[in-house]
């Protein structure tokens, strides 16, 4: 009889009721559990656990009963919100295991993980509804399956994991066939971001299993890694050549682009991303390259829908986003014969590169080829607009404080680009010009007379400050300038704002100008705010609530936290690409390098953004000092550190009835507002400086967690 009871118990366990996949994931995350921890407890593989949460597979006995028990207990601890009722999946319709049945057409699908398991279907014909979490603009039937797919192999079947939980069968047996299938049947891609622009090409992410299936190496050899590509004699490259597919100059590397020359508006191009070849830099994408396929599709798909489909590194994508929003050309109005022609798109940088001014050229540029070999250009010859790296020794007043509190400016360089007027065309050289704060350019001017101990705070109001405790706004190291130097327009305009006259000696100005980066800023700002809101950090939180929401926000959804990091890297990397330096290839000083052939190689635009970002921060520092008498002890890029009594920014930021000091630091998630970077003790700071015999060690570099590395003579 006991055997019969055991058999009945087994039947009940095999049909243990489980909540929908999205609720399973919510409950795990609510308790702070990782997929690995749950998988270890249930004695299953991580990939198996991920499949249960994505809805791709369902647990079977005996693990199903244990999993159901875990979810039941978590549901008691973390009930679903009242406005988001969770309904358990109907158990009578659940097929265990779920089979991915090949269909007559190659686009067989397994439906969304955010729906109950019973709602998943395998469709062979007809139109499909958009994925459950597809962005609103994904309505073009050409791209109904989203911008990208992660190609993997499971149980011998090649599958393409798309956004929204969609899984497609892939019938292709070779890389050329995979490219053909992507363009003809996969329905991948994304709509254009601007009127004159072009739709985004589909992106395929190849897992290690997919690489093996298609005859590609799982990792590159040292020689291939240094070259950044497979050799031309590789069998897969030969397959593509035989099929009349072409590769761009960067070849078959971590970010390969495979195309055929366009015929009219018919564009045939597919991009590959290969994580195991280090396509996803861990500095910006964290552990994304190690995620299971469904989760990787979610991370990259979210980034693609909110920023754009990745075109390479985050830096490359940041630069490509500028062009996608402001293409160089557009179609003209029809001529007398009704034919349209390509013409310059107003507000863009144009289709041809322009020379920078000599002062804007980095060392080794062809414009400087006539300089003596070992000549070092000073500030009177070279525009040097960079981010802050400044610190000062502690004063007696600082020693009387207990803590060092760091403030970090959100998306500081993006905020510096917002509303900034930059040059669109070539510079014009002018002698003894009258300074115009509305005219972008580079100005040779002496700002050594600007005295920070007395600055203008209004139309006719001046304030007295301790200038020795403030960094100069005119140099990255915070030193007071000693004579004429080259500055971007925002820096010179700030000297005027502080109440001092300026008399430029010469300038390179750009009369063709505009707010080229506004759309770029708006796109990245919206992506950042939307993702942070998904992580529980809204834009309208009160200061105390904001600090609480920021505490541990990354652990709420580690995948979305990866997207946040990638968005930030897109900002900084995209701006850095505006002045990209030579990257090997046998380059010698005085010779041109590849980046110079791009219209988007614009060191003047990069300098203007950095200048404005530095000035924005200094303005806040001055406002804070004038109102509170508090001065920073260190500033590094977008982080500023104060010696104060409390451990929280709320202990020293001058909020009155919930309102911040106008023009000063304000807590919040919007670009330009600040968050808490970290708190350490003053004793810690002094101890670190003594340990490395560096009284001006920049503590802003280490304030986040107190870990001190890479100290070299106080730098």
């Amino acid at each position: 009889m006991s055997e019969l009871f055991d058999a009945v118990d087994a039947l009940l366990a095999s049909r243990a009721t489980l909540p929908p996949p999205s609720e399973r994931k919510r409950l795990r995350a609510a308790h702070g559990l990782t997929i690995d921890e749950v998988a270890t407890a249930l004695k299953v593989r991580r990939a198996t656990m991920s499949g249960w949460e994505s809805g791709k597979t369902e647990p079977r006995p005996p693990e199903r009963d244990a999993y159901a028990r875990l979810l039941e207990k978590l549901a008691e601890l973390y009930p679903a919100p009242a406005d988001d009722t969770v309904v358990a999946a109907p158990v009578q319709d659940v097929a265990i295991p779920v089979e991915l049945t090949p269909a007559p057409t190659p686009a067989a699908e397994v439906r969304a993980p955010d729906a109950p398991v019973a709602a998943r279907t395998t469709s062979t014909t007809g139109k499909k509804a958009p994925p459950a979490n597809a962005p609103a603009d994904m309505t073009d039937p050409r791209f109904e399956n989203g911008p990208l797919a992660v190609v993997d192999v499971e149980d011998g079947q090649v599958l393409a994991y798309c956004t929204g939980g969609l899984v497609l069968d892939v019938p292709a047996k070779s890389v050329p066939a995979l490219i053909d299938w992507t363009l003809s049947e996969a329905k991948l891609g994304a709509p254009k971001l601007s009127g004159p622009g072009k739709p985004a090409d589909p992106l395929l992410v190849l897992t290690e299993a997919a690489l093996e299936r298609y005859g590609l190496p799982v990792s590159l050899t040292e020689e291939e890694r240094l070259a950044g590509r497979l050799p031309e004699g590789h069998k897969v490259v030969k397959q593509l050549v035989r099929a009349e597919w072409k590769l761009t100059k960067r070849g078959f590397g971590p970010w390969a682009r495979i195309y055929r020359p366009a015929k009219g508006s018919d564009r045939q191009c597919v991009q590959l991303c290969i994580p195991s070849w280090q396509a996803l830099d861990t500095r910006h994408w964290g552990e994304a390259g190690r995620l299971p396929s469904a989760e990787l599709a979610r991370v990259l798909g979210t980034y693609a829908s909110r920023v754009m489909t990745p075109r390479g590194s985050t830096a490359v994508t940041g630069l490509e986003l500028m062009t996608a929003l402001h293409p160089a050309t557009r179609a003209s109005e029809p001529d007398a014969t009704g034919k349209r022609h390509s013409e310059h798109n107003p507000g863009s940088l144009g289709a041809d590169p322009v020379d920078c001014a000599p002062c804007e050229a980095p060392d080794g540029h062809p414009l400087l080829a006539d300089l003596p070999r070992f000549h070092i250009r000073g500030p009177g010859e070279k525009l040097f607009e960079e981010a802050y790296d400044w610190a000062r020794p502690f004063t007696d007043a600082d020693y009387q404080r207990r803590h060092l509190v760091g403030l970090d400016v959100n998306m500081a360089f993006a905020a510096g680009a917002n509303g900034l007027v930059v040059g669109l065309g070539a510079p014009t050289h002018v002698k003894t010009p009258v300074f115009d704060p509305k005219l972008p350019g580079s100005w040779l001017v002496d700002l050594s007379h600007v005295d920070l101990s007395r600055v203008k705070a209004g139309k006719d109001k001046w304030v007295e400050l301790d200038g020795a405790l403030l960094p100069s706004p005119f140099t990255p190291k915070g030193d007071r300038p000693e004579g004429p130097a080259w500055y971007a327009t925002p820096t010179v305009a700030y000297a005027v704002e502080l109440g001092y006259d300026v008399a430029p000696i010469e300038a390179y100005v750009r009369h063709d100008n505009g707010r080229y980066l506004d759309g770029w800023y708006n796109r990245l700002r919206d992506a950042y705010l939307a993702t942070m809101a998904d992580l529980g950090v809204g834009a309208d939180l009160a200061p105390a609530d904001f600090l609480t929401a920021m505490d541990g926000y990354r652990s709420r959804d580690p995948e979305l936290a990866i997207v946040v990091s990638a968005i930030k890297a897109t900002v900084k990397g995209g701006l850095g690409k505006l002045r990209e330096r030579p990257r090997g290839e046998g380059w010698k000083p005085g010779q041109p390098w590849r980046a110079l052939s791009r219209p988007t190689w614009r060191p003047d635009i990069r300098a203007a953004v950095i200048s404005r970002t530095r000035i924005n921060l200094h303005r806040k520092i001055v406002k804070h000092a004038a109102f509170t008498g508090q001065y920073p002890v260190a500033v590094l890029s977008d982080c500023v550190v104060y010696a104060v009594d409390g451990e929280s920014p709320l202990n020293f930021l001058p909020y009155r009835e919930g309102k911040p000091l106008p023009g000063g630091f304000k807590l919040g998630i919007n670009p330009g507002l600040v968050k808490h970077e970290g708190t350490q003790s003053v004793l810690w700071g002094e101890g670190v400086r003594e340990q490395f015999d560096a009284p001006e060690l920049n503590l802003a570099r280490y304030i986040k967690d107190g870990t001190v590395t890479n100290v070299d003579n106080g730098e």
Side-chain angles (χ1 to χ4, degrees), residues 669-685:
I669 199 59
N670 279 289
L673 306 188
V674 298
K675 61 179 181 292
H676 183 205
E677 178 69 2
T679 296
Q680 305 295 331
S681 69
V682 171
L683 290 177
W684 164 86

Side-chain angles (χ1 to χ4, degrees), residues 507-522:
Y508 289 89
V509 297
R510 289 171 169 82
H511 297 287
D512 179 14
N513 55 65
R515 292 168 57 158
Y516 173 71
L517 294 173
D518 273 10
W520 183 80
Y521 162 78
N522 290 333

Side-chain angles (χ1 to χ4, degrees), residues 192-199 308 311 319-331 342-352 424 516 599-600:
K192 58 187 179 182
L193 296 180
S194 65
K198 298 175 182 177
M308 70 179 297
R311 297 286 300 273
L319 194 69
E320 292 286 346
L321 180 62
M322 297 179 195
T323 303
L325 293 167
H326 284 289
T329 60
R330 67 178 184 182
S342 177
E343 66 177 14
H344 173 70
N345 182 28
S348 75
L349 297 181
D352 300 314
L424 301 177
Y516 173 71
T600 49

Side-chain angles (χ1 to χ4, degrees), residues 604-620:
D604 57 298
I605 295 179
R606 173 187 176 274
V609 173
I610 293 176
S611 163
R612 192 162 185 246
T613 302
R614 194 181 66 245
I615 294 307
N616 284 347
L617 181 56
H618 194 275
R619 185 181 291 112
K620 290 180 172 63

